Amino acid sequence: MAHRGCSLALVFIIMWLLIKAKIDECRRGDVTVKPSRVILLGSTVNISCTLKPRQGCLNDSRHNKLILYKFDRRINFHHGHSLNSQVTGLPLGTTLFVCKLACINSDEIQICGAEILVGVVPEQPQNLSCIQKGEQGTVACTWDRGRDTHLYTQYTLQLSGPKNLTWQKQCKDHYCDYLDFGINLTPESPESNFTAKVTAVNSLGSSSSFPSTFTFLDIVRPLPPWDIRINFQKASVSRCTLYWRDEGLVLLNRLRYRPSNSRLWNMVNVTKAKGRHDLLYLKPFTEYEFQISSKLHLCKGSWSDWSESLRAQTPEEEPTGMLDVWYMKRHIDYSRQQISLFWKNLSISEARGKILHYEVTLQELTGGKAVTQNITGHTSWSTVIPRTGSWTVAVSAANSKGSSLPTRINITNLCGAGLLAPRQVSANSEGKDGIRVIWQPPRKAPSAVQEYVVEWRELHPKGDTRVPLNWLRSPPSNVSALISENVKPYICYEIHVYALSGYQGGCSSTLGNSKHEAPRSGPHINAITEEKGSVLISWNSIPVQEQMGCLLHYRIYWKERDSNSQPQFCEIPYRVSQNSHPINSLQPRVTYVLWMTALTAAGESSQGNEREICLQGEDTAALGQAPDRLAHS
């Protein structure tokens, strides 16, 4: 397509050149335009077409038919040796008129033509300003031309200086609004005045800008500073010096800097800095972006462009703040217990460097000596200790410059004080992926509560301790908390609310999810046994990914085989560890079909597998022998 477009353009240009060549020849006649072929917009022109002697039709001059075309559109005609036409309303730009002769039984013959240029007088150039980039640069000026004249327009830029010196530069570009004199102003007389003026001229008139007067200090814009570097003395963020190079006459600098992840700049103005400045209050272990600009005079002139950015990371400092530590206990046997510690990462502003490891100290209070000291790179740690005695743990974070203050917690029975247990704990979905946990203070000791801790982890039937533990702390005045971190939709969470008071704690728990649907499948019955006239149904738990939230109930359905009656069912509250339930209402020597479903707050699952059973009284040989049948939705 591009090649085809270029070919058409070339053909058009060739044809236009051929027409113009014929117009220029005008061998058969002339076309005259009055008052001029260049006119002001809105003017009227008279166009005359006259045949030269013996250039008309051969048979009879009365058959001469002169036709005037505007581009390719016929606008007037006349029989004879001449034609006159008055034309108005011509648009800006160039309009082509062609005069042709039409004779009987022959093609039209081109006589002559004329181009009429319609334009306007140049507007007064505005906003003339001049600048010299750098002490060794040259003076260049820019201006606003105003509206397009649509005519050939010449711009002349003139600069006058001391001692009657004058420089002049011209441009004949149709869109000229910039000229460079190619001369350099020197600081020998920084207060000497220079005056610039630009004049626009075309065939309809001329216009000049207001003169612009300035001094060396007004128009010289320094080059941006270069060779920027930073130095941290003794690898300390509090001893930071920024260095750079400038042109010799620079008096004033401005510095701006920001953390690389920020959009807001910190600004500093300095006078007579001589290429260095001490920076204060930088954050440790943070990548910063630095830029510098320069100026020759406090009041005159303009700032240089900003320098290229320097990016540098500040040194580390000793961590501040303290770790948020939590723990859980698990009994192993009558004499031992496992303590699992968890802690959250320090924030970037608290870590103030790369955390290399964590230091854990476990101490038995009655003995008064450190029992275990450990260094780990993880955010959790477990150990086994006796179930007797009072224990305390201290955890701190370390980087290359030092360690944070240790967080100390007492290992206690978090649920040992029943009077401290929060009441009426409930959990409801809130927002996009949040869970709102609500509770009531302990009835008998609300003022003793020092803080609440809300803990949540994914519910797993087998109580897998490797499931990540999450927690948040809440002041004693709060009776609700929003869980919004590390929460997945359609997953059931086991939620504990702990009320802590010194060395004591009380707890209550509930289940919650941020989103729920009906379970995708029902429980799978794996065994049916008869026990003293009742039937014990055993099943496999629904896979976690198919539960679609917190299960509330199981239902066991049964009906006589081949019966069209509605099935009976019993509803069992969901408990994590439960996988069997007895049924007492089946009649002996009757064949029943049994199946199970599960329910969340959103609805009931499809049924699980079907099993047949026929009670044989004391003979249980037939129980559970029928093969499973496919579950029906």
Side-chain angles (χ1 to χ4, degrees), residues 34 94 117 147 152 292 303 488 599:
K34 292 182 179 181
T94 302
L117 280 68
R147 64 175 179 174
Y152 166 78
I292 310 172
W303 288 99
K488 305 173 188 174
L599 293 89

Coordinates of all heavy atoms in Angstrom, one line a residue, residues 34 94 117 147 152 292 303 488 599:
K34 N -5.9 40.7 -11.9 CA -5.9 42.1 -11.2 C -6.7 42.1 -10.0 O -7.7 41.4 -9.9 CB -6.4 43.1 -12.2 CG -5.5 43.3 -13.4 CD -6.0 44.4 -14.3 CE -5.1 44.6 -15.5 NZ -5.6 45.7 -16.4
T94 N -3.3 28.3 -2.2 CA -3.1 28.5 -3.6 C -4.3 27.9 -4.4 O -4.7 26.8 -4.1 CB -1.8 27.8 -4.1 OG1 -0.7 28.4 -3.4 CG2 -1.6 28.0 -5.6
L117 N -2.5 33.3 -5.0 CA -2.1 32.9 -3.6 C -2.9 33.8 -2.7 O -2.9 35.1 -2.8 CB -0.6 33.1 -3.4 CG 0.3 32.0 -3.9 CD1 0.3 31.9 -5.4 CD2 1.7 32.2 -3.4
R147 N -0.7 33.1 13.7 CA -1.4 32.2 12.8 C -0.6 32.1 11.5 O 0.2 33.0 11.1 CB -2.8 32.8 12.4 CG -2.8 34.1 11.8 CD -4.2 34.5 11.4 NE -4.3 35.8 10.7 CZ -5.4 36.3 10.2 NH1 -6.5 35.7 10.2 NH2 -5.4 37.5 9.6
Y152 N 4.8 32.8 1.4 CA 6.2 32.8 1.7 C 6.4 34.0 2.6 O 6.1 35.2 2.3 CB 7.0 32.9 0.4 CG 8.4 33.3 0.7 CD1 9.3 32.3 1.1 CD2 8.9 34.6 0.5 CE1 10.7 32.6 1.3 CE2 10.2 34.9 0.7 CZ 11.1 33.9 1.1 OH 12.4 34.3 1.4
I292 N 20.6 17.3 40.7 CA 21.0 18.7 41.0 C 20.8 19.6 39.9 O 20.9 19.2 38.7 CB 22.5 18.6 41.4 CG1 22.8 17.5 42.4 CG2 23.0 20.0 42.0 CD1 24.3 17.3 42.7
W303 N 17.2 28.4 36.0 CA 17.9 27.2 36.5 C 18.3 26.3 35.3 O 17.6 26.3 34.3 CB 16.9 26.4 37.4 CG 16.7 27.0 38.7 CD1 15.7 27.8 39.1 CD2 17.6 26.9 39.9 NE1 15.8 28.2 40.4 CE2 17.0 27.6 40.9 CE3 18.8 26.3 40.1 CZ2 17.5 27.8 42.2 CZ3 19.3 26.4 41.4 CH2 18.7 27.1 42.4
K488 N -7.8 -16.9 52.1 CA -8.2 -17.4 50.8 C -9.8 -17.6 50.7 O -10.3 -18.0 51.7 CB -7.5 -18.7 50.4 CG -6.0 -18.7 50.5 CD -5.5 -20.1 50.2 CE -4.0 -20.1 50.5 NZ -3.5 -21.5 50.4
L599 N -23.3 -29.8 54.3 CA -23.9 -28.5 54.1 C -22.9 -27.4 54.6 O -22.3 -27.5 55.7 CB -25.2 -28.4 54.9 CG -26.4 -29.2 54.4 CD1 -26.4 -30.6 55.1 CD2 -27.7 -28.5 54.7

